[in-house]
Amino acid sequence: MAGLMALAATRLPAADDRAIILSGTAGTTLAQEQQALKNARRQSDEARDRSARLEQQAGLARDEAEQARRRAAALAARIQQAEADIQAAQARIAIIARMQRAQAARLAARQEPVVRLTAALQMMARRPLALALVQPGSVGDAVHMRAVLGQVLPVIEQRTAGLRQELDKSRALRATAQQAADALGKAQADRKDRQTALAALETQKRIAARDYGANAGMESERALALGERARDIVDLMDRLEQAGDLRERLAALSGPLLRPARPDQTGAPAPERDASAGGPPPYRLPVIGQLVTGMGEVNDGGVRSRGLTLVTQPGAQAIAPTAGRIAFAGPYRDYGQILIIDHGQGWTTLITGLHRVTAQVGDSVRQGDPVGITGPERPNITVELRRNGRPVDIVPLVGLG
């Protein structure tokens, strides 16, 4: 009984939620996980709207080839929507796991004093009544104990009510975690189905475009030859930019002009078009992912980044960030499968780290057209935008930050 009286005299510690330090997953904070969830939901909404627009355009297209192209772009957008949903579900699961750890700490803080008090009461309950009557001082102690219990029982009721509330919160968190896991499974299944549909559609497109293969082969051989002569990837892009600039100049030349009837009344020739006068093209990141390296940051190897690096889902869909012409597609040294797109007027895009490239050299692509697939692990995809050979910051063009 002395132990019970000492425990009753001790103030039961209050469980203050603000005293619980939320410890997240290694390397991330709660704010980062919440921002990742917000970004993933925004990317999912944008991809869904983009897919709806492309589906509508495909329905309005009269040409069968144009319909197939729009459907492929719409499927690619739906795949990216599923990838964004996967990221959102993973972020939710991380946040819920953090909340469950904090909930377990609060529950333990509330349970400990009640468990100790309950153990003391159980010890008193095991004491035989006859022994209490014959033992000296037992009647007085019993009266004292009754008075103490009268003060302690309301506290016990209050603490057990708090425990019930914490247990209800724990059950709610488990239910929310199950919902997030179900959403993750559904997003993964949706992406797999859409990838299968896109692969079938791309196969149909390749069969329909077999006559184009010879010309594409010549373009590809020319690009590979430039790659072999290039010292590094920057030199390769410079060579391709020079070739693209020459192509634009040749295409801009007017045809042969007839001799005018009155040479004295002819005006001055039209000025040559300035290929570098155009503003930045409408731009979009080629993959759904989390930004890990910004432009100008120095990596572990001491190299300063000329673009953005994003970590994506395994087997993520890559799309054309804006309209252009495929200038290089294929493996290049230790960069994996790379893609270089010439957008005209001095603008080019480099995408490195791809696992498979689905576009061919010489293809004309529009913004959103599928162009490649990332690797089976969580790969890093680097995107560089250049204008007349100089790196351009992509962040202002796509609204990151």
Side-chain angles (χ1 to χ4, degrees):
M1 186 176 63
L4 174 61
M5 294 172 61
L7 184 61
T10 302
R11 181 178 179 269
L12 295 177
D16 189 350
D17 292 350
R18 293 172 298 178
I20 302 298
I21 299 177
L22 298 179
S23 58
T25 56
T28 61
T29 64
L30 178 60
Q32 290 173 333
E33 291 166 359
Q34 290 173 337
Q35 185 62 40
L37 176 59
K38 180 180 178 180
N39 292 339
R41 285 174 172 171
R42 174 181 54 80
Q43 291 173 334
S44 176
D45 293 340
E46 291 175 353
R48 184 188 63 247
D49 296 341
R50 194 162 65 245
S51 174
R53 289 195 303 270
L54 290 167
E55 289 284 3
Q56 184 179 13
Q57 293 172 3
L60 297 175
R62 297 182 179 180
D63 182 64
E64 184 176 350
E66 181 66 16
Q67 288 181 353
R69 184 173 187 171
R70 292 296 183 182
R71 283 200 301 269
L75 277 172
R78 292 174 64 189
I79 291 171
Q80 290 195 329
Q81 177 191 351
E83 290 167 357
D85 290 339
I86 290 173
Q87 284 192 180
Q90 290 172 339
R92 283 186 63 200
I93 289 172
I95 293 173
I96 293 169
R98 183 187 296 271
M99 295 173 65
Q100 285 178 322
R101 289 192 295 271
Q103 178 68 24
R106 288 196 300 267
L107 193 59
R110 287 184 179 274
Q111 280 178 329
E112 181 181 1
V114 176
V115 169
R116 291 168 57 197
L117 185 56
T118 304
L121 290 173
Q122 289 176 345
M123 291 176 59
M124 295 301 301
R126 296 193 191 101
R127 186 178 184 183
L129 181 60
L131 182 61
L133 293 176
V134 300
Q135 185 174 352
S138 295
V139 176
D141 288 345
V143 173
H144 190 192
M145 182 185 68
R146 183 177 181 84
V148 170
L149 287 177
Q151 296 178 354
V152 172
L153 285 177
V155 179
I156 295 176
E157 292 177 356
Q158 180 183 1
R159 293 301 181 190
T160 54
L163 279 176
R164 286 193 294 271
Q165 293 177 358
E166 296 295 340
L167 290 173
D168 291 340
K169 292 179 182 178
S170 297
R171 284 190 288 268
L173 283 175
R174 285 197 297 270
T176 305
Q178 185 61 47
Q179 291 175 359
D182 293 342
L184 176 61
K186 182 179 183 303
Q188 291 172 334
D190 289 344
R191 188 180 74 150
K192 185 176 180 180
D193 293 342
R194 294 166 185 176
Q195 286 175 330
T196 302
L198 180 59
L201 185 56
E202 288 180 337
T203 301
Q204 295 176 5
K205 288 171 60 180
R206 283 195 298 268
I207 293 174
R210 278 184 299 187
D211 295 338
Y212 177 71
N215 191 20
M218 294 176 59
E219 292 277 353
S220 180
E221 289 177 2
R222 188 180 299 113
L224 289 174
L226 289 175
E228 291 175 357
R229 292 196 297 268
R231 296 186 302 271
D232 52 29
I233 199 166
V234 175
D235 188 26
L236 172 61
M237 293 189 69
D238 289 338
R239 291 174 182 266
L240 290 171
E241 287 172 4
Q242 292 171 5
D245 182 63
L246 177 60
R247 187 185 305 108
E248 285 188 356
R249 289 176 180 272
L250 291 174
L253 291 177
S254 58
L257 298 177
L258 297 177
R259 180 181 177 86
R262 296 288 304 273
D264 58 321
Q265 295 182 358
T266 59
E272 185 179 357
R273 180 176 62 89
D274 184 5
S276 63
Y283 212 79
R284 178 180 297 128
L285 291 179
V287 293
I288 296 293
Q290 297 180 1
L291 182 66
V292 293
T293 304
M295 184 174 178
E297 296 184 16
V298 179
N299 60 19
D300 296 336
V303 179
R304 190 173 297 277
S305 174
R306 296 184 298 268
L308 304 181
T309 300
L310 302 99
V311 60
T312 72
Q313 294 292 324
Q317 179 67 55
I319 62 171
T322 191
R325 180 179 178 278
I326 304 299
F328 190 96
Y332 187 75
R333 301 184 183 177
D334 57 348
Y335 292 93
Q337 298 279 337
I338 74 168
L339 198 67
I340 299 178
I341 307 175
D342 182 3
H343 307 299
Q345 298 185 339
W347 294 90
T348 55
T349 288
L350 167 67
I351 304 174
T352 67
L354 294 172
H355 178 69
R356 181 165 61 91
V357 174
T358 57
Q360 294 183 341
V361 174
D363 286 352
S364 293
V365 293
R366 298 173 183 171
Q367 187 181 60
D369 284 353
V371 294
I373 303 294
T374 67
E377 302 297 331
R378 287 181 64 86
N380 289 338
I381 301 299
T382 299
V383 188
E384 297 181 16
L385 177 65
R386 290 163 50 119
R387 185 187 186 189
N388 297 327
R390 294 184 177 182
V392 176
D393 191 5
I394 302 174
V395 171
L397 301 181
V398 298
L400 292 176

